[in-house]
């Protein structure tokens, strides 16, 4: 099965020395103190988080436009230093090597994660400064086909667009999320140039509108199976993926464990899950707190209702064992509960044979 090539921790570059922050500190020694402070604040290198032009302007008593000019000037100096100084050469080499491994382009957040290896906001801020100063790196704003990304000047977006359009067509035809290998095989038929599976997913990871869900299946970004937004949609995805009835407490637990909230701090409340599912016709209560999907053939109603439907559909008396088997296909209840309902609400017409009451 294809992997998510842009986000695997095993692929991250673990920068030892010099790090991007060390390299930037080296450059800072050659520019005015205020330029250092403003550039550091803008990129979050010297502050807890990146600051806006307006915030920086208020701090220094200057206009937003003047802040922009100071930053532009400092970046211009860094660009020249990168071209001349061998001390700063590792910054460009590391960025270029990472992009070359991914067809010359990467989603911005994937590139930052890939290169800083979770070393903290300061390291990320330093990398962002270099990315805006390196002469052979082009930042791309989000567009029709791409997420925000960085690319080498030599890298074209044409192949990315072709891959994205092919995958979109495959997913639209399938109308469901697909495993990576399946998506790659089907998309190959629609792409006019040969492409390896690895390159296919490198491009797709930077494409807009297509993404993996938490179960590593690919789909269109707006699908509930890819980005479920409400409790019901998240529960539906959990049940659909697990493929069997679950207690509402287990559903709540899996929503949290699989990161469907997006935020680690957010927790599902089991009673809220129960209250939401019981109101939705897509879910069927099949036992005490146990929910299944109506898509699986489960139907709402009491055990008595289920038995009545089974006998009505059969059009003739059925044995106790046959009725029990049919009920257990759509309800998770004890056999004794089924037998009590048979004896209480239906007519026995022979030894262990039942029919509807007239």
């Amino acid at each position: 099965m294809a992997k998510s090539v842009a986000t695997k921790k095993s692929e991250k570059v673990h920068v030892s020395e010099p790090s991007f922050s060390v390299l930037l500190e080296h450059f800072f020694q050659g520019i005015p103190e205020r330029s250092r402070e403003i550039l550091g604040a803008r990129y979050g290198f010297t502050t807890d988080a990146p600051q806006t032009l307006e915030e920086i302007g208020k701090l220094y008593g200057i206009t937003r436009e003047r802040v922009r000019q100071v930053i532009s000037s400092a970046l211009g100096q860094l660009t020249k230093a990168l071209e001349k100084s061998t001390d700063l050469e590792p910054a460009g080499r590391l960025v270029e090597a990472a992009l070359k491994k991914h067809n010359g382009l990467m989603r911005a957040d994937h590139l930052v994660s890939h290169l800083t290896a979770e070393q903290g906001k300061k390291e990320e801020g330093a990398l962002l400064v270099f990315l805006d100063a390196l002469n052979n790196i082009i930042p791309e704003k989000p567009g029709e086909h791409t997420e925000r990304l960085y690319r080498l000047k030599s890298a074209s977006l044409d192949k990315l667009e072709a891959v994205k359009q092919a995958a979109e067509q495959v997913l639209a035809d399938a109308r469901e999320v697909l495993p990576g290998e399946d998506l790659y095989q089907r998309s190959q038929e629609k792409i006019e140039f040969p492409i390896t599976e690895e390159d296919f997913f490198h491009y797709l990871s930077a494409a807009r509108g297509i993404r993996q869900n938490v179960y590593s299946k690919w789909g269109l970004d707006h699908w509930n199976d890819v980005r479920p937004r409400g409790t019901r949609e998240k529960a539906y995805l959990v049940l659909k993926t697990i493929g069997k009835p679950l207690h509402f407490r287990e559903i709540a637990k899996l929503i949290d464990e699989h990161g469907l909230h997006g935020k680690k701090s957010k927790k599902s409340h089991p009673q809220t899950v129960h209250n939401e599912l019981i109101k939705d016709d897509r879910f069927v209560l099949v036992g005490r707190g146990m929910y299944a999907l109506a898509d699986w053939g489960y139907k709402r109603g009491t055990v008595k209702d289920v038995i009545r439907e089974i006998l009505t559909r059969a059009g003739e008396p059925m044995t106790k064992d046959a009725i029990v088997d049919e009920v257990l296909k759509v309800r998770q209840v004890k056999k004794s509960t089924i037998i009590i309902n048979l004896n209480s609400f239906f007519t026995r017409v022979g030894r262990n044979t039942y029919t509807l009451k007239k």
Side-chain angles (χ1 to χ4, degrees):
M1 185 173 179
K3 60 186 178 179
S4 177
V5 294
T7 57
K8 287 286 185 180
K9 288 185 179 180
S10 60
E11 290 189 351
K12 290 177 180 175
V13 176
H14 292 270
V15 183
S16 52
E17 290 293 340
S19 66
F20 291 106
S21 55
V22 168
L23 291 170
L24 190 60
E25 291 281 11
H26 178 77
F27 165 71
F28 273 2
Q29 294 173 13
I31 64 174
E33 182 179 357
R34 191 175 75 160
S35 295
R36 294 199 301 264
E37 292 174 351
I38 289 176
L39 192 65
R42 181 60 173 154
Y43 287 87
F45 177 68
T46 57
T47 54
D48 293 334
Q51 295 182 354
T52 65
L53 297 176
E54 186 173 356
E55 289 172 333
I56 297 171
K58 286 181 179 179
L59 181 63
Y60 289 92
I62 56 179
T63 65
R64 291 176 53 182
E65 181 57 32
R66 181 56 188 150
V67 174
R68 187 181 289 107
Q69 290 172 358
V70 171
I71 293 171
S72 178
S73 175
L75 289 175
Q77 289 177 269
L78 179 55
T79 298
K80 292 179 181 178
L82 284 164
E83 294 172 351
K84 297 178 180 179
S85 173
T86 56
D87 292 335
L88 299 179
E89 184 271 338
R93 176 170 46 80
L94 286 168
V95 172
E96 185 172 348
L99 291 174
K100 281 183 176 179
K101 287 182 180 179
H102 295 80
N103 303 322
L105 54 85
M106 286 181 73
R107 239 176 73 171
D109 56 339
H110 290 174
L111 178 62
V112 171
S113 175
H114 183 88
L115 283 171
T116 59
E118 300 176 356
Q119 294 181 56
K121 294 297 182 181
K122 182 176 181 179
E123 187 70 7
E124 291 179 10
L127 171 58
L128 291 173
V129 174
F130 280 111
L131 286 172
D132 280 352
L134 285 164
N135 208 23
N136 65 331
I137 305 299
I138 297 178
E140 295 282 355
K141 295 180 179 180
E144 180 184 355
H145 298 290
T146 67
E147 298 286 359
R148 181 171 177 267
L149 56 81
Y150 290 99
R151 68 178 176 90
L152 296 171
K153 276 187 176 179
S154 58
S156 169
L157 297 178
D158 292 345
K159 288 187 176 181
L160 182 152
E161 293 173 8
V163 166
K164 186 240 186 180
Q165 290 173 348
E168 275 185 332
Q169 186 60 58
V170 168
L171 291 168
D173 292 343
R175 297 183 181 181
E176 63 177 353
V177 292
L178 295 173
E181 184 177 354
D182 195 4
L183 178 59
Y184 168 65
Q185 293 296 338
R186 297 193 201 186
S187 297
Q188 271 189 307
E189 301 171 4
K190 302 180 182 297
I191 299 174
E192 296 180 354
F193 51 87
I195 185 169
T196 66
E197 185 173 358
E198 183 177 29
D199 285 346
F200 175 82
F201 285 104
H202 281 159
Y203 281 126
L204 209 57
S205 66
R208 193 172 196 181
I210 301 174
R211 64 187 295 169
Q212 279 182 303
N213 66 13
V214 296
Y215 299 105
S216 298
K217 290 188 176 182
W218 291 84
L220 299 181
D221 187 56
H222 64 273
W223 286 356
N224 283 330
D225 282 359
V226 175
R227 187 181 283 184
R229 287 164 176 78
T231 297
R232 301 181 193 187
E233 285 67 34
K234 293 167 186 175
Y236 187 90
L237 179 57
V238 167
L239 284 170
K240 183 178 179 180
T241 303
I242 300 300
K244 65 179 182 180
L246 295 172
H247 193 277
F248 65 83
R249 295 186 182 279
E250 182 66 15
I251 295 172
K253 179 182 176 184
L254 289 173
I255 288 174
D256 295 342
E257 287 183 353
H258 294 172
L260 288 173
H261 282 311
K263 297 180 180 179
K264 293 181 180 180
S265 59
K266 190 171 182 180
K267 297 294 182 183
S268 298
H269 297 289
Q271 193 58 47
T272 299
V273 173
H274 178 48
N275 293 341
E276 288 293 318
L277 303 195
I278 204 166
K279 297 182 290 188
D280 194 317
D281 290 340
R282 293 175 298 172
F283 304 93
V284 180
L285 191 61
V286 297
R288 289 192 173 183
M290 299 290 293
Y291 282 93
L293 296 180
D295 293 347
W296 298 340
Y298 289 88
K299 297 185 181 298
R300 288 178 174 270
T302 63
V303 172
K304 179 178 72 171
D305 295 332
V306 173
I307 296 173
R308 182 183 295 112
E309 183 175 339
I310 290 169
L311 287 170
T312 300
R313 191 168 60 242
E316 61 182 6
M318 293 177 63
T319 65
K320 177 186 70 177
D321 290 342
I323 293 172
V324 168
D325 288 343
E326 289 299 310
V327 173
L328 291 178
K329 290 178 182 179
V330 294
R331 283 290 185 278
Q332 290 199 350
V333 294
K334 295 179 180 179
K335 289 184 178 181
S336 59
T337 301
I338 302 171
I339 293 169
I340 290 172
N341 275 269
L342 277 172
N343 292 328
S344 300
F345 304 110
F346 299 90
T347 300
R348 189 161 64 181
V349 295
R351 187 176 182 183
N352 290 329
T353 303
Y354 292 82
T355 190
L356 293 168
K357 280 188 176 183
K358 295 182 179 180

